[in-house]
Amino acid sequence: MHLGYPSEKTKKITTRRAFSAVLAAGTAISLLAAGAANAKVEGDTIVLGSAISLTGKYATNGVHAQNGYEIAVKKINDNGGVTVGGKSYKLKVVYYDDESTPARGAQLAERLIKQDGVQFMLGPYSSGLTKAIAPVTEKYKIPMVEAEGASRSLFTQGYKYLFAVLSTSEQYLASAIDLAAEMAEKEGRKPSDIKIAMAFENDPFSLDVRAGVMDDAKKYDMKIVIDDKLPRDLSDMSATLTKAKALKPDLLIVSGHSKGAATAVRQINEMKIDIPMIAMTHCEAAKVTDKFGAGANDILCSTQWAETLTYEDQLFGTAAEFHEEFKQTFDGYTTVPYQSAQAAAAVMVWKDAFERADSFEIDKVRDAIAATEMNTFYGPIKFSEAGNNIAKPMVLRQIQEGQYNVVAPSKWASHPVNYPRDAGF
C-alpha cells in the first residue's frame, strides 16, 4: 500500500511496506509518556522536531511537507545514516499537529524544546506559522532549518538560528510579469499597456508575493486594475472574477495556498472567465489537474522546483529520480509538489551540517548550517547572513494537457508557453 493524501475527515496517513515502521516511529514519539522526554541524541538516533499542520486549512500542504521529511529521513537512514565522531546515527522526527494555527505552533515549539528536549528543529508549513515559531527557536538558540516559510519578512528580523532552503516569496510570480511583458512585445504591444488583476490571501506569504508582483509591474509601468484580498476561508473569489469579466485584464494573479488555488480554478471555469494569462501559486499542491482536468490547462504555476530541472545529488540522484521515487512511495501523486521536495532538502541540510560540524554542540552545528554550500536534487543551497537561500531561482510551469511544463525563465524552459489562453491581448 502507498502513502496518500489524508481524507478530509481523518487526515490519516497510511503506509507502504517497511516505510510504515519509519513513519510510525517518528509520529509515535510525540505520544511518549511524561518523564520519557526526548534529548537531542538518543543512543544512536538524532532527534529532530517539527510542529506541522496536519489539520486545519493548511493540512494538505502540511502532509506534503511531512511526506518530504519522512522520505529523506528514510533515504538517509537506509544509506548509512549520519556520521559524527566516527559513529553512524539514524535520524528521527518528533511531530505535533499545530492545527494550522500560529499560536498553537508557537506553543508546540516551546513544548518540543523545553519538555521533549529537542535541540534541532525542522520548520512548520507556511510563513505565518514560521513567523510564530521563529521567535521561540531564537529565544532558546535552537537552529531551525525550514522549507515552507518563504516570506521575505522572516529574513529581516536579524534571526541567527533560522535557515530556509526555499526562494523567498517576492520571487514567486515575478516571472509571470516578465512573461506578460515578453508576450505583449511579441503581439506588438507595449508592456505598459498590460492590465493586471490580483487576488491574494491576507497572510504573510501571499502579501509578500503581492509586494513582489507590485515591484515588477512597476518596472514595466503596468496597470493594476483589480487588487483584492481573498476571503478568510478562501472558498469564494466570485467578486474578483465578476469585476474581471467587466474590466478584461490581460493577466490574473492569485495566491491563496492550496485552497485558494482550487477555488480559483473551479470558479474560473464555472464563471467562464476568459483572461489571456492566469498565474497562481500552489497549483500542484492543490491537485488542480486531478480535480478539474482540462479546466486547468494553460494555468501558469510558480514553483520552487520541477522534476525536469537538471539538479542532482548523491543521495536521491536527479530531480527526475526523486520525482519517481516519491510517487512510488506515496499514493495519490501524479506530480510531486515542490513543498515535498524542499522539505526533503531541509533534512539533507541537517545531515550535511552534522557531518561537517562533526559534533552535536548546538553552536557548532548552527555555524555549520550557516556555512552550507551544497547541491541537491532540489537545487543549490547557500544561505545569506540573514538565513535565506540565495543560490536557487524560482521557475514558472504551465499546465499543458494535464502536464506541468517549465516555460519560464527561458534558461530553464523545457516547453514553449501556450499563449493566449482563451482570449488574446
Side-chain angles (χ1 to χ4, degrees):
M1 186 181 293
H2 293 279
L3 287 179
Y5 288 79
S7 69
E8 288 300 313
K9 198 169 186 178
T10 67
K11 301 294 180 187
K12 187 175 180 179
I13 301 173
T14 57
T15 56
R16 178 181 182 267
R17 298 179 183 174
F19 198 88
S20 61
V22 177
L23 185 56
T27 54
I29 298 169
S30 62
L31 303 176
L32 289 177
N38 301 306
K40 61 178 180 178
V41 178
E42 297 177 331
D44 66 348
T45 303
I46 304 166
V47 179
L48 307 175
S50 178
I52 197 80
S53 300
L54 302 179
T55 59
K57 69 177 180 178
Y58 296 143
T60 298
N61 282 329
V63 171
H64 292 331
Q66 186 185 46
N67 288 348
Y69 291 153
E70 287 298 321
I71 196 171
V73 166
K74 183 175 189 299
K75 189 75 169 180
I76 289 168
N77 290 345
D78 288 350
N79 285 272
V82 178
T83 301
V84 176
K87 180 180 176 181
S88 180
Y89 294 83
K90 293 188 180 300
L91 290 173
K92 181 167 62 176
V93 186
V94 181
Y95 297 106
Y96 287 122
D97 177 13
D98 61 32
E99 303 166 15
S100 303
T101 305
R104 182 64 172 155
Q107 180 185 51
L108 292 173
E110 185 119 5
R111 177 177 176 176
L112 283 162
I113 295 166
K114 292 191 70 176
Q115 295 184 32
D116 294 341
V118 171
Q119 297 181 3
F120 311 120
M121 294 282 285
L122 287 164
Y125 176 75
S126 87
S127 294
L129 272 294
T130 307
K131 274 193 170 183
I133 289 174
V136 178
T137 52
E138 197 73 15
K139 172 184 174 182
Y140 292 106
K141 298 184 177 180
I142 298 297
M144 178 164 68
V145 180
E146 62 102 348
E148 314 293 342
S151 174
R152 61 181 171 181
S153 57
L154 284 164
F155 309 102
T156 61
Q157 308 302 309
Y159 293 139
K160 299 299 182 185
Y161 292 84
L162 176 68
F163 302 91
V165 300
L166 71 174
S167 303
T168 46
S169 51
E170 74 277 8
Q171 302 176 50
Y172 267 59
L173 288 169
S175 51
I177 300 298
D178 292 336
L179 183 60
E182 178 184 331
M183 299 312 296
E185 289 174 346
K186 286 184 178 178
E187 296 287 323
R189 298 179 60 193
K190 296 177 181 178
S192 58
D193 292 335
I194 299 296
K195 295 186 295 183
I196 302 173
M198 309 189 301
F200 294 93
E201 182 179 359
N202 189 26
D203 78 308
F205 166 79
S206 293
L207 294 179
D208 276 356
V209 175
R210 177 187 175 278
V213 168
M214 294 290 287
D215 288 346
D216 284 88
K218 193 177 297 183
K219 288 192 307 187
Y220 295 103
D221 199 25
M222 293 179 179
K223 299 174 180 65
I224 309 295
V225 296
I226 300 172
D227 185 7
D228 286 353
K229 285 187 173 65
L230 292 170
R232 185 186 266 298
D233 65 359
L234 305 175
S235 61
D236 180 18
M237 62 173 294
S238 59
T240 298
L241 296 178
T242 298
K243 287 188 280 186
K245 268 194 169 182
L247 296 175
K248 301 186 184 307
D250 303 296
L251 170 63
L252 169 65
I253 291 178
V254 180
S255 181
H257 294 270
S258 294
K259 189 173 181 181
T263 296
V265 177
R266 173 175 59 82
Q267 292 192 318
I268 284 165
N269 282 280
E270 288 173 351
M271 297 177 66
K272 296 179 169 50
I273 301 298
D274 292 335
I275 296 174
M277 291 180 67
I278 300 173
M280 62 184 68
T281 64
H282 297 85
C283 301
E284 304 98 315
K287 299 185 74 178
V288 296
T289 55
D290 293 343
K291 292 175 181 175
F292 306 109
N297 277 341
D298 300 333
I299 297 289
L300 295 160
C301 307
S302 64
T303 187
Q304 293 272 357
W305 171 84
E307 70 277 6
T308 58
L309 298 175
T310 56
Y311 301 142
E312 63 180 308
D313 59 56
Q314 292 185 341
L315 184 67
F316 282 106
T318 65
E321 287 170 332
F322 173 85
H323 185 260
E324 290 306 312
E325 183 170 348
F326 192 94
K327 289 194 299 180
Q328 290 170 17
T329 304
F330 298 93
D331 191 25
Y333 290 90
T334 53
T335 297
V336 177
Y338 65 78
Q339 289 86 355
S340 300
Q342 60 203 27
V347 178
M348 293 173 67
V349 168
W350 274 115
K351 169 181 164 61
D352 177 68
F354 283 130
E355 293 186 338
R356 283 187 293 105
D358 200 29
S359 170
F360 295 121
E361 291 183 30
I362 292 179
D363 285 343
K364 288 184 178 179
V365 176
R366 180 263 167 212
D367 290 347
I369 297 171
T372 296
E373 193 164 351
M374 62 189 293
N375 291 315
T376 73
F377 76 91
Y378 168 70
I381 299 173
K382 180 179 180 179
F383 300 120
S384 73
E385 188 174 344
N388 57 306
N389 185 2
I390 55 175
K392 186 190 70 62
M394 291 289 297
V395 295
L396 196 66
R397 299 206 279 193
Q398 185 175 46
I399 301 173
Q400 299 175 343
E401 302 303 320
Q403 300 298 310
Y404 288 84
N405 296 323
V406 176
V407 295
S410 56
K411 176 182 178 181
W412 300 106
S414 60
H415 290 71
V417 63
N418 284 343
Y419 180 85
R421 180 175 160 85
D422 293 313
F425 272 173

